[in-house]
Amino acid sequence: MLLPVNVTLGAVLVALLLAAAGVAAAAHLGRHREILIAGVRAAVQLAVVALAIHWVVGSLPLLLGFLTLMYAVAVRTAGRRMTANTTWWWAAAPIAAGVLPVVGALLLTGLVPVKGIALIPVTGILIGGALTATVLGGRRALDELTARRGEVEAGMALGLLDRDARLEIARPAASDALLPGLDQTRTVGLVTLPGAFVGMLLGGASPVQAGAVQLFVLVALMAVQAVAVSVVLELVARGKVHREVRVDVRDQSP
């Protein structure tokens, strides 16, 4: 067993969470409350999942419902991270576009059986990767369009379509969302030993089997994230996902 589930583990987790929030507060990062809430939510959600997983894995309708719930939570989380207006729901498109083809291919080829014990963790990893890529790509694209609004308008004045002008500005920034996945893949085994690899070893798999599973996860994540970033960039460029533009009244004065 990697970690014993006892009072000591609980105390260490609480100490680490308080330390993370304390450092964020001391450095005036403005995220200390979010860190505390995220830690508590993670504990509650994992406890619920641990209790419910027994029933979910044995029933196909419950399995599909659970996967749908995972997807819905990811959509809302990603959408709200990008924008506060009603266009947040467009986050459903990049996450689905990235995850569904990969999961479908895995099921059709038989690499992943239609069983909760296999499908839930694989789909969860892919949805999580798509969520991260969508948030990073969407936020970076929207931030860039806001900061360089004048350049977008200049491109339109030169005859570029709205979409093309926005793409020219937002594409380099949105592509940065792929860097975490690329770096993780390039340094796997040298800098970190990711969770799938360690989990397989602890479960009794051979190092070769564990390495194969981890390689699959990393490559699948790169495919999912590339699609997610491409789709969210297109949505931002077409104005489907946007933020409200605040106009300073001082700019309106004669």
Side-chain angles (χ1 to χ4, degrees):
M1 183 182 295
L2 180 62
L3 288 174
V5 181
N6 53 29
V7 176
T8 302
L9 175 62
V12 171
L13 288 174
V14 171
L16 289 173
L17 182 60
L18 292 176
V23 170
H28 302 288
L29 301 180
R31 301 286 185 181
H32 55 283
R33 287 190 62 192
E34 292 184 44
I35 291 173
L36 290 173
I37 293 172
V40 173
R41 281 189 58 174
V44 173
Q45 289 164 190
L46 286 173
V48 172
V49 170
L51 293 173
I53 200 75
H54 174 74
W55 292 277
V56 170
V57 297
S59 169
L60 182 58
L62 289 178
L63 171 60
L64 296 177
F66 187 76
L67 294 176
T68 302
L69 176 63
M70 294 169 63
Y71 170 69
V73 173
V75 169
R76 182 167 179 82
T77 301
R80 288 303 190 183
R81 281 294 184 188
M82 290 190 294
T83 181
N85 60 38
T86 56
T87 64
W88 65 266
W89 66 269
W90 278 100
I95 295 176
V99 173
L100 287 179
V102 175
V103 173
L106 294 175
L107 293 175
L108 289 174
T109 56
L111 289 174
V112 175
V114 188
K115 295 181 179 179
I117 199 66
L119 194 56
I120 288 175
V122 170
T123 306
I125 291 172
L126 297 179
I127 290 177
L131 183 157
T132 301
T134 299
V135 170
L136 293 177
R139 284 176 65 93
R140 291 286 289 118
L142 290 168
D143 289 345
E144 200 75 356
L145 291 178
T146 300
R148 301 170 62 184
R149 187 172 58 191
E151 294 178 52
V152 175
E153 294 174 352
M156 296 177 184
L158 291 175
L160 290 177
L161 297 176
D162 292 5
R163 168 189 174 275
D164 296 337
R166 295 190 187 104
L167 274 178
E168 289 298 318
I169 300 301
R171 183 185 286 117
S175 67
D176 287 348
L178 299 176
L179 292 179
L182 287 172
D183 290 342
Q184 183 182 26
T185 304
R186 292 169 61 182
T187 61
V188 65
L190 299 176
V191 177
T192 61
L193 292 177
F197 182 83
V198 175
M200 290 287 291
L201 289 179
L202 293 175
S206 69
V208 173
Q209 289 176 315
V213 170
Q214 186 60 66
L215 179 61
F216 153 73
V217 169
L218 292 173
V219 173
L221 275 175
M222 286 196 297
V224 167
Q225 291 177 337
V227 173
V229 172
S230 300
V231 173
V232 77
L233 174 61
E234 187 68 28
L235 291 172
V236 171
R238 292 178 179 272
K240 300 297 185 181
V241 178
H242 60 79
R243 292 174 181 160
E244 305 302 335
V245 178
R246 297 181 180 178
V247 179
D248 193 331
V249 294
R250 290 173 295 183
D251 295 338
Q252 305 294 320
S253 58

